[in-house]
Amino acid sequence: STAVNGEFLVKLPMGDASTTEKDLVVAVSDGTDVVKTFTYSHVVVGDVFYGSGQSNMEMSFAWGIINGNEHIKEAKKYSLIRRIKVMRTASDIPAENIQVQTKWSVCSPATVKAYTAAGYYFARRIHIETGVPIGILDDNWSGSPIQPFIVPTAYKDIPALKKDWQSASSFVPGTPEYKKHIQGLIKRANTWVAKAEAALEKGEPVP
């Protein structure tokens, strides 16, 4: 689609899953000529699953898994499983870009050691049953609650979470709750500034 402020969206037509690796070439044009191309190699077509949660999802084979060494060895049979690890980064609002710890990797005895074990076993089961390539978005954070992984506006649509909408809406720009929340932060900040200036003027420690 047409770029706006350098942003663009590419929608690929829905197709059948493919286990044949191919190159995906993205060509950038100035409207007349191709000025740059990006090539992504070893691309297969399948399903991608989002693996989020806390330590039970982050746990990798390196943590120690029952029969882990045996499953690490057999990972060579599942090169159609791919995984990328998302960086631990917090944000109060949806981020346009994310940072990653790794690039997409092809499953092998060498790479699978760092995979989310729960995510890998899930992907392996689905792949065995369907033959479809499986991608894992490995995005988890030990000790975190599930709420940060849920889009705030979804609280209104999930019956079990409706009671939490009041607090969740405090982080949704444009809502009355968000405005009240930010006004409260500004008031606290201004109060601190006044106290800090007074303390500084008196030569006292700033609170």
mmCIF file with all atom_site columns, all heavy atoms in Angstrom, residues 136-156:
data_model
loop_
_atom_site.group_PDB
_atom_site.id
_atom_site.type_symbol
_atom_site.label_atom_id
_atom_site.label_alt_id
_atom_site.label_comp_id
_atom_site.label_asym_id
_atom_site.label_entity_id
_atom_site.label_seq_id
_atom_site.pdbx_PDB_ins_code
_atom_site.Cartn_x
_atom_site.Cartn_y
_atom_site.Cartn_z
_atom_site.occupancy
_atom_site.B_iso_or_equiv
_atom_site.pdbx_formal_charge
_atom_site.auth_seq_id
_atom_site.auth_comp_id
_atom_site.auth_asym_id
_atom_site.auth_atom_id
_atom_site.pdbx_PDB_model_num
ATOM 1   N N   . ILE A 1 136 ? 7.070   -19.869 16.220 1.00 0.00 ? 136 ILE A N   1
ATOM 2   C CA  . ILE A 1 136 ? 6.805   -19.527 17.615 1.00 0.00 ? 136 ILE A CA  1
ATOM 3   C C   . ILE A 1 136 ? 7.301   -18.113 17.892 1.00 0.00 ? 136 ILE A C   1
ATOM 4   O O   . ILE A 1 136 ? 8.489   -17.829 17.739 1.00 0.00 ? 136 ILE A O   1
ATOM 5   C CB  . ILE A 1 136 ? 7.529   -20.481 18.590 1.00 0.00 ? 136 ILE A CB  1
ATOM 6   C CG1 . ILE A 1 136 ? 7.251   -21.948 18.258 1.00 0.00 ? 136 ILE A CG1 1
ATOM 7   C CG2 . ILE A 1 136 ? 7.123   -20.168 20.031 1.00 0.00 ? 136 ILE A CG2 1
ATOM 8   C CD1 . ILE A 1 136 ? 8.146   -22.901 19.048 1.00 0.00 ? 136 ILE A CD1 1
ATOM 9   N N   . LEU A 1 137 ? 6.380   -17.243 18.315 1.00 0.00 ? 137 LEU A N   1
ATOM 10  C CA  . LEU A 1 137 ? 6.771   -15.928 18.810 1.00 0.00 ? 137 LEU A CA  1
ATOM 11  C C   . LEU A 1 137 ? 7.007   -16.103 20.304 1.00 0.00 ? 137 LEU A C   1
ATOM 12  O O   . LEU A 1 137 ? 6.075   -16.164 21.103 1.00 0.00 ? 137 LEU A O   1
ATOM 13  C CB  . LEU A 1 137 ? 5.659   -14.907 18.558 1.00 0.00 ? 137 LEU A CB  1
ATOM 14  C CG  . LEU A 1 137 ? 5.491   -14.399 17.132 1.00 0.00 ? 137 LEU A CG  1
ATOM 15  C CD1 . LEU A 1 137 ? 4.241   -13.533 17.023 1.00 0.00 ? 137 LEU A CD1 1
ATOM 16  C CD2 . LEU A 1 137 ? 6.710   -13.610 16.696 1.00 0.00 ? 137 LEU A CD2 1
ATOM 17  N N   . ASP A 1 138 ? 8.263   -16.215 20.695 1.00 0.00 ? 138 ASP A N   1
ATOM 18  C CA  . ASP A 1 138 ? 8.661   -16.541 22.055 1.00 0.00 ? 138 ASP A CA  1
ATOM 19  C C   . ASP A 1 138 ? 8.747   -15.243 22.870 1.00 0.00 ? 138 ASP A C   1
ATOM 20  O O   . ASP A 1 138 ? 9.786   -14.607 22.939 1.00 0.00 ? 138 ASP A O   1
ATOM 21  C CB  . ASP A 1 138 ? 10.016  -17.265 22.003 1.00 0.00 ? 138 ASP A CB  1
ATOM 22  C CG  . ASP A 1 138 ? 10.378  -17.956 23.299 1.00 0.00 ? 138 ASP A CG  1
ATOM 23  O OD1 . ASP A 1 138 ? 9.649   -17.776 24.288 1.00 0.00 ? 138 ASP A OD1 1
ATOM 24  O OD2 . ASP A 1 138 ? 11.395  -18.672 23.322 1.00 0.00 ? 138 ASP A OD2 1
ATOM 25  N N   . ASP A 1 139 ? 7.609   -14.840 23.467 1.00 0.00 ? 139 ASP A N   1
ATOM 26  C CA  . ASP A 1 139 ? 7.530   -13.554 24.155 1.00 0.00 ? 139 ASP A CA  1
ATOM 27  C C   . ASP A 1 139 ? 6.995   -13.792 25.561 1.00 0.00 ? 139 ASP A C   1
ATOM 28  O O   . ASP A 1 139 ? 5.802   -13.931 25.766 1.00 0.00 ? 139 ASP A O   1
ATOM 29  C CB  . ASP A 1 139 ? 6.600   -12.618 23.385 1.00 0.00 ? 139 ASP A CB  1
ATOM 30  C CG  . ASP A 1 139 ? 6.465   -11.261 24.050 1.00 0.00 ? 139 ASP A CG  1
ATOM 31  O OD1 . ASP A 1 139 ? 7.300   -10.931 24.906 1.00 0.00 ? 139 ASP A OD1 1
ATOM 32  O OD2 . ASP A 1 139 ? 5.509   -10.521 23.713 1.00 0.00 ? 139 ASP A OD2 1
ATOM 33  N N   . ASN A 1 140 ? 7.883   -13.862 26.538 1.00 0.00 ? 140 ASN A N   1
ATOM 34  C CA  . ASN A 1 140 ? 7.468   -14.173 27.888 1.00 0.00 ? 140 ASN A CA  1
ATOM 35  C C   . ASN A 1 140 ? 8.384   -13.476 28.892 1.00 0.00 ? 140 ASN A C   1
ATOM 36  O O   . ASN A 1 140 ? 9.448   -12.994 28.544 1.00 0.00 ? 140 ASN A O   1
ATOM 37  C CB  . ASN A 1 140 ? 7.487   -15.689 28.114 1.00 0.00 ? 140 ASN A CB  1
ATOM 38  C CG  . ASN A 1 140 ? 8.580   -16.354 27.313 1.00 0.00 ? 140 ASN A CG  1
ATOM 39  O OD1 . ASN A 1 140 ? 9.755   -16.053 27.498 1.00 0.00 ? 140 ASN A OD1 1
ATOM 40  N ND2 . ASN A 1 140 ? 8.214   -17.224 26.386 1.00 0.00 ? 140 ASN A ND2 1
ATOM 41  N N   . TRP A 1 141 ? 7.937   -13.460 30.152 1.00 0.00 ? 141 TRP A N   1
ATOM 42  C CA  . TRP A 1 141 ? 8.677   -12.722 31.162 1.00 0.00 ? 141 TRP A CA  1
ATOM 43  C C   . TRP A 1 141 ? 8.415   -13.387 32.512 1.00 0.00 ? 141 TRP A C   1
ATOM 44  O O   . TRP A 1 141 ? 7.314   -13.294 33.057 1.00 0.00 ? 141 TRP A O   1
ATOM 45  C CB  . TRP A 1 141 ? 8.202   -11.267 31.174 1.00 0.00 ? 141 TRP A CB  1
ATOM 46  C CG  . TRP A 1 141 ? 9.100   -10.293 31.852 1.00 0.00 ? 141 TRP A CG  1
ATOM 47  C CD1 . TRP A 1 141 ? 9.883   -10.515 32.941 1.00 0.00 ? 141 TRP A CD1 1
ATOM 48  C CD2 . TRP A 1 141 ? 9.299   -8.916  31.485 1.00 0.00 ? 141 TRP A CD2 1
ATOM 49  N NE1 . TRP A 1 141 ? 10.558  -9.370  33.291 1.00 0.00 ? 141 TRP A NE1 1
ATOM 50  C CE2 . TRP A 1 141 ? 10.218  -8.374  32.424 1.00 0.00 ? 141 TRP A CE2 1
ATOM 51  C CE3 . TRP A 1 141 ? 8.787   -8.098  30.486 1.00 0.00 ? 141 TRP A CE3 1
ATOM 52  C CZ2 . TRP A 1 141 ? 10.628  -7.044  32.369 1.00 0.00 ? 141 TRP A CZ2 1
ATOM 53  C CZ3 . TRP A 1 141 ? 9.196   -6.785  30.434 1.00 0.00 ? 141 TRP A CZ3 1
ATOM 54  C CH2 . TRP A 1 141 ? 10.110  -6.254  31.360 1.00 0.00 ? 141 TRP A CH2 1
ATOM 55  N N   . SER A 1 142 ? 9.412   -14.035 33.057 1.00 0.00 ? 142 SER A N   1
ATOM 56  C CA  . SER A 1 142 ? 9.241   -14.761 34.319 1.00 0.00 ? 142 SER A CA  1
ATOM 57  C C   . SER A 1 142 ? 8.695   -13.848 35.412 1.00 0.00 ? 142 SER A C   1
ATOM 58  O O   . SER A 1 142 ? 9.172   -12.731 35.596 1.00 0.00 ? 142 SER A O   1
ATOM 59  C CB  . SER A 1 142 ? 10.576  -15.356 34.773 1.00 0.00 ? 142 SER A CB  1
ATOM 60  O OG  . SER A 1 142 ? 10.978  -16.390 33.918 1.00 0.00 ? 142 SER A OG  1
ATOM 61  N N   . GLY A 1 143 ? 7.695   -14.355 36.136 1.00 0.00 ? 143 GLY A N   1
ATOM 62  C CA  . GLY A 1 143 ? 7.124   -13.604 37.244 1.00 0.00 ? 143 GLY A CA  1
ATOM 63  C C   . GLY A 1 143 ? 6.068   -12.592 36.854 1.00 0.00 ? 143 GLY A C   1
ATOM 64  O O   . GLY A 1 143 ? 5.494   -11.926 37.717 1.00 0.00 ? 143 GLY A O   1
ATOM 65  N N   . SER A 1 144 ? 5.784   -12.458 35.568 1.00 0.00 ? 144 SER A N   1
ATOM 66  C CA  . SER A 1 144 ? 4.809   -11.458 35.135 1.00 0.00 ? 144 SER A CA  1
ATOM 67  C C   . SER A 1 144 ? 3.392   -12.024 35.196 1.00 0.00 ? 144 SER A C   1
ATOM 68  O O   . SER A 1 144 ? 3.177   -13.209 34.968 1.00 0.00 ? 144 SER A O   1
ATOM 69  C CB  . SER A 1 144 ? 5.113   -11.007 33.703 1.00 0.00 ? 144 SER A CB  1
ATOM 70  O OG  . SER A 1 144 ? 4.971   -12.100 32.813 1.00 0.00 ? 144 SER A OG  1
ATOM 71  N N   . PRO A 1 145 ? 2.384   -11.189 35.483 1.00 0.00 ? 145 PRO A N   1
ATOM 72  C CA  . PRO A 1 145 ? 0.992   -11.630 35.404 1.00 0.00 ? 145 PRO A CA  1
ATOM 73  C C   . PRO A 1 145 ? 0.549   -11.657 33.949 1.00 0.00 ? 145 PRO A C   1
ATOM 74  O O   . PRO A 1 145 ? 1.263   -11.154 33.067 1.00 0.00 ? 145 PRO A O   1
ATOM 75  C CB  . PRO A 1 145 ? 0.244   -10.554 36.205 1.00 0.00 ? 145 PRO A CB  1
ATOM 76  C CG  . PRO A 1 145 ? 1.084   -9.329  36.035 1.00 0.00 ? 145 PRO A CG  1
ATOM 77  C CD  . PRO A 1 145 ? 2.515   -9.814  35.985 1.00 0.00 ? 145 PRO A CD  1
ATOM 78  N N   . ILE A 1 146 ? -0.617  -12.219 33.675 1.00 0.00 ? 146 ILE A N   1
ATOM 79  C CA  . ILE A 1 146 ? -1.073  -12.344 32.296 1.00 0.00 ? 146 ILE A CA  1
ATOM 80  C C   . ILE A 1 146 ? -1.584  -11.008 31.740 1.00 0.00 ? 146 ILE A C   1
ATOM 81  O O   . ILE A 1 146 ? -1.563  -10.774 30.530 1.00 0.00 ? 146 ILE A O   1
ATOM 82  C CB  . ILE A 1 146 ? -2.181  -13.420 32.183 1.00 0.00 ? 146 ILE A CB  1
ATOM 83  C CG1 . ILE A 1 146 ? -2.457  -13.770 30.710 1.00 0.00 ? 146 ILE A CG1 1
ATOM 84  C CG2 . ILE A 1 146 ? -3.459  -12.962 32.874 1.00 0.00 ? 146 ILE A CG2 1
ATOM 85  C CD1 . ILE A 1 146 ? -1.269  -14.326 29.957 1.00 0.00 ? 146 ILE A CD1 1
ATOM 86  N N   . GLN A 1 147 ? -2.030  -10.101 32.625 1.00 0.00 ? 147 GLN A N   1
ATOM 87  C CA  . GLN A 1 147 ? -2.658  -8.872  32.155 1.00 0.00 ? 147 GLN A CA  1
ATOM 88  C C   . GLN A 1 147 ? -1.832  -8.057  31.162 1.00 0.00 ? 147 GLN A C   1
ATOM 89  O O   . GLN A 1 147 ? -2.376  -7.518  30.199 1.00 0.00 ? 147 GLN A O   1
ATOM 90  C CB  . GLN A 1 147 ? -3.061  -7.990  33.355 1.00 0.00 ? 147 GLN A CB  1
ATOM 91  C CG  . GLN A 1 147 ? -4.303  -8.460  34.087 1.00 0.00 ? 147 GLN A CG  1
ATOM 92  C CD  . GLN A 1 147 ? -4.030  -9.568  35.070 1.00 0.00 ? 147 GLN A CD  1
ATOM 93  O OE1 . GLN A 1 147 ? -2.926  -10.105 35.115 1.00 0.00 ? 147 GLN A OE1 1
ATOM 94  N NE2 . GLN A 1 147 ? -5.019  -9.914  35.894 1.00 0.00 ? 147 GLN A NE2 1
ATOM 95  N N   . PRO A 1 148 ? -0.490  -7.915  31.375 1.00 0.00 ? 148 PRO A N   1
ATOM 96  C CA  . PRO A 1 148 ? 0.277   -7.106  30.423 1.00 0.00 ? 148 PRO A CA  1
ATOM 97  C C   . PRO A 1 148 ? 0.293   -7.671  29.000 1.00 0.00 ? 148 PRO A C   1
ATOM 98  O O   . PRO A 1 148 ? 0.619   -6.954  28.056 1.00 0.00 ? 148 PRO A O   1
ATOM 99  C CB  . PRO A 1 148 ? 1.693   -7.111  31.023 1.00 0.00 ? 148 PRO A CB  1
ATOM 100 C CG  . PRO A 1 148 ? 1.485   -7.343  32.468 1.00 0.00 ? 148 PRO A CG  1
ATOM 101 C CD  . PRO A 1 148 ? 0.335   -8.299  32.539 1.00 0.00 ? 148 PRO A CD  1
ATOM 102 N N   . PHE A 1 149 ? -0.067  -8.945  28.841 1.00 0.00 ? 149 PHE A N   1
ATOM 103 C CA  . PHE A 1 149 ? -0.060  -9.545  27.513 1.00 0.00 ? 149 PHE A CA  1
ATOM 104 C C   . PHE A 1 149 ? -1.416  -9.419  26.819 1.00 0.00 ? 149 PHE A C   1
ATOM 105 O O   . PHE A 1 149 ? -1.608  -9.918  25.718 1.00 0.00 ? 149 PHE A O   1
ATOM 106 C CB  . PHE A 1 149 ? 0.335   -11.026 27.610 1.00 0.00 ? 149 PHE A CB  1
ATOM 107 C CG  . PHE A 1 149 ? 1.753   -11.226 28.067 1.00 0.00 ? 149 PHE A CG  1
ATOM 108 C CD1 . PHE A 1 149 ? 2.046   -11.442 29.401 1.00 0.00 ? 149 PHE A CD1 1
ATOM 109 C CD2 . PHE A 1 149 ? 2.806   -11.179 27.165 1.00 0.00 ? 149 PHE A CD2 1
ATOM 110 C CE1 . PHE A 1 149 ? 3.352   -11.614 29.834 1.00 0.00 ? 149 PHE A CE1 1
ATOM 111 C CE2 . PHE A 1 149 ? 4.113   -11.346 27.589 1.00 0.00 ? 149 PHE A CE2 1
ATOM 112 C CZ  . PHE A 1 149 ? 4.387   -11.565 28.921 1.00 0.00 ? 149 PHE A CZ  1
ATOM 113 N N   . ILE A 1 150 ? -2.363  -8.775  27.488 1.00 0.00 ? 150 ILE A N   1
ATOM 114 C CA  . ILE A 1 150 ? -3.706  -8.613  26.932 1.00 0.00 ? 150 ILE A CA  1
ATOM 115 C C   . ILE A 1 150 ? -3.892  -7.167  26.494 1.00 0.00 ? 150 ILE A C   1
ATOM 116 O O   . ILE A 1 150 ? -3.606  -6.234  27.251 1.00 0.00 ? 150 ILE A O   1
ATOM 117 C CB  . ILE A 1 150 ? -4.785  -8.989  27.967 1.00 0.00 ? 150 ILE A CB  1
ATOM 118 C CG1 . ILE A 1 150 ? -4.611  -10.445 28.422 1.00 0.00 ? 150 ILE A CG1 1
ATOM 119 C CG2 . ILE A 1 150 ? -6.184  -8.777  27.406 1.00 0.00 ? 150 ILE A CG2 1
ATOM 120 C CD1 . ILE A 1 150 ? -5.540  -10.847 29.555 1.00 0.00 ? 150 ILE A CD1 1
ATOM 121 N N   . VAL A 1 151 ? -4.394  -6.952  25.291 1.00 0.00 ? 151 VAL A N   1
ATOM 122 C CA  . VAL A 1 151 ? -4.680  -5.595  24.825 1.00 0.00 ? 151 VAL A CA  1
ATOM 123 C C   . VAL A 1 151 ? -5.713  -4.985  25.772 1.00 0.00 ? 151 VAL A C   1
ATOM 124 O O   . VAL A 1 151 ? -6.764  -5.597  26.017 1.00 0.00 ? 151 VAL A O   1
ATOM 125 C CB  . VAL A 1 151 ? -5.240  -5.635  23.389 1.00 0.00 ? 151 VAL A CB  1
ATOM 126 C CG1 . VAL A 1 151 ? -5.609  -4.224  22.935 1.00 0.00 ? 151 VAL A CG1 1
ATOM 127 C CG2 . VAL A 1 151 ? -4.224  -6.241  22.447 1.00 0.00 ? 151 VAL A CG2 1
ATOM 128 N N   . PRO A 1 152 ? -5.445  -3.802  26.340 1.00 0.00 ? 152 PRO A N   1
ATOM 129 C CA  . PRO A 1 152 ? -6.360  -3.234  27.342 1.00 0.00 ? 152 PRO A CA  1
ATOM 130 C C   . PRO A 1 152 ? -7.822  -3.198  26.924 1.00 0.00 ? 152 PRO A C   1
ATOM 131 O O   . PRO A 1 152 ? -8.707  -3.485  27.724 1.00 0.00 ? 152 PRO A O   1
ATOM 132 C CB  . PRO A 1 152 ? -5.804  -1.814  27.550 1.00 0.00 ? 152 PRO A CB  1
ATOM 133 C CG  . PRO A 1 152 ? -4.344  -1.961  27.280 1.00 0.00 ? 152 PRO A CG  1
ATOM 134 C CD  . PRO A 1 152 ? -4.265  -2.958  26.145 1.00 0.00 ? 152 PRO A CD  1
ATOM 135 N N   . THR A 1 153 ? -8.095  -2.846  25.663 1.00 0.00 ? 153 THR A N   1
ATOM 136 C CA  . THR A 1 153 ? -9.487  -2.762  25.225 1.00 0.00 ? 153 THR A CA  1
ATOM 137 C C   . THR A 1 153 ? -10.191 -4.107  25.241 1.00 0.00 ? 153 THR A C   1
ATOM 138 O O   . THR A 1 153 ? -11.421 -4.176  25.257 1.00 0.00 ? 153 THR A O   1
ATOM 139 C CB  . THR A 1 153 ? -9.569  -2.166  23.802 1.00 0.00 ? 153 THR A CB  1
ATOM 140 O OG1 . THR A 1 153 ? -8.681  -2.907  22.938 1.00 0.00 ? 153 THR A OG1 1
ATOM 141 C CG2 . THR A 1 153 ? -9.155  -0.708  23.792 1.00 0.00 ? 153 THR A CG2 1
ATOM 142 N N   . ALA A 1 154 ? -9.419  -5.200  25.267 1.00 0.00 ? 154 ALA A N   1
ATOM 143 C CA  . ALA A 1 154 ? -10.025 -6.530  25.295 1.00 0.00 ? 154 ALA A CA  1
ATOM 144 C C   . ALA A 1 154 ? -10.686 -6.819  26.633 1.00 0.00 ? 154 ALA A C   1
ATOM 145 O O   . ALA A 1 154 ? -11.526 -7.720  26.731 1.00 0.00 ? 154 ALA A O   1
ATOM 146 C CB  . ALA A 1 154 ? -8.975  -7.607  24.996 1.00 0.00 ? 154 ALA A CB  1
ATOM 147 N N   . TYR A 1 155 ? -10.361 -6.045  27.656 1.00 0.00 ? 155 TYR A N   1
ATOM 148 C CA  . TYR A 1 155 ? -10.958 -6.268  28.966 1.00 0.00 ? 155 TYR A CA  1
ATOM 149 C C   . TYR A 1 155 ? -12.479 -6.089  28.912 1.00 0.00 ? 155 TYR A C   1
ATOM 150 O O   . TYR A 1 155 ? -13.219 -6.684  29.682 1.00 0.00 ? 155 TYR A O   1
ATOM 151 C CB  . TYR A 1 155 ? -10.362 -5.302  29.987 1.00 0.00 ? 155 TYR A CB  1
ATOM 152 C CG  . TYR A 1 155 ? -9.018  -5.723  30.516 1.00 0.00 ? 155 TYR A CG  1
ATOM 153 C CD1 . TYR A 1 155 ? -7.863  -5.564  29.748 1.00 0.00 ? 155 TYR A CD1 1
ATOM 154 C CD2 . TYR A 1 155 ? -8.873  -6.293  31.765 1.00 0.00 ? 155 TYR A CD2 1
ATOM 155 C CE1 . TYR A 1 155 ? -6.627  -5.952  30.217 1.00 0.00 ? 155 TYR A CE1 1
ATOM 156 C CE2 . TYR A 1 155 ? -7.642  -6.692  32.258 1.00 0.00 ? 155 TYR A CE2 1
ATOM 157 C CZ  . TYR A 1 155 ? -6.515  -6.517  31.470 1.00 0.00 ? 155 TYR A CZ  1
ATOM 158 O OH  . TYR A 1 155 ? -5.288  -6.919  31.934 1.00 0.00 ? 155 TYR A OH  1
ATOM 159 N N   . LYS A 1 156 ? -12.933 -5.239  27.994 1.00 0.00 ? 156 LYS A N   1
ATOM 160 C CA  . LYS A 1 156 ? -14.372 -5.025  27.880 1.00 0.00 ? 156 LYS A CA  1
ATOM 161 C C   . LYS A 1 156 ? -15.057 -6.216  27.226 1.00 0.00 ? 156 LYS A C   1
ATOM 162 O O   . LYS A 1 156 ? -16.262 -6.405  27.367 1.00 0.00 ? 156 LYS A O   1
ATOM 163 C CB  . LYS A 1 156 ? -14.634 -3.767  27.048 1.00 0.00 ? 156 LYS A CB  1
ATOM 164 C CG  . LYS A 1 156 ? -14.174 -2.488  27.732 1.00 0.00 ? 156 LYS A CG  1
ATOM 165 C CD  . LYS A 1 156 ? -14.620 -1.260  26.967 1.00 0.00 ? 156 LYS A CD  1
ATOM 166 C CE  . LYS A 1 156 ? -13.978 -1.186  25.589 1.00 0.00 ? 156 LYS A CE  1
ATOM 167 N NZ  . LYS A 1 156 ? -14.355 0.045   24.870 1.00 0.00 ? 156 LYS A NZ  1
#
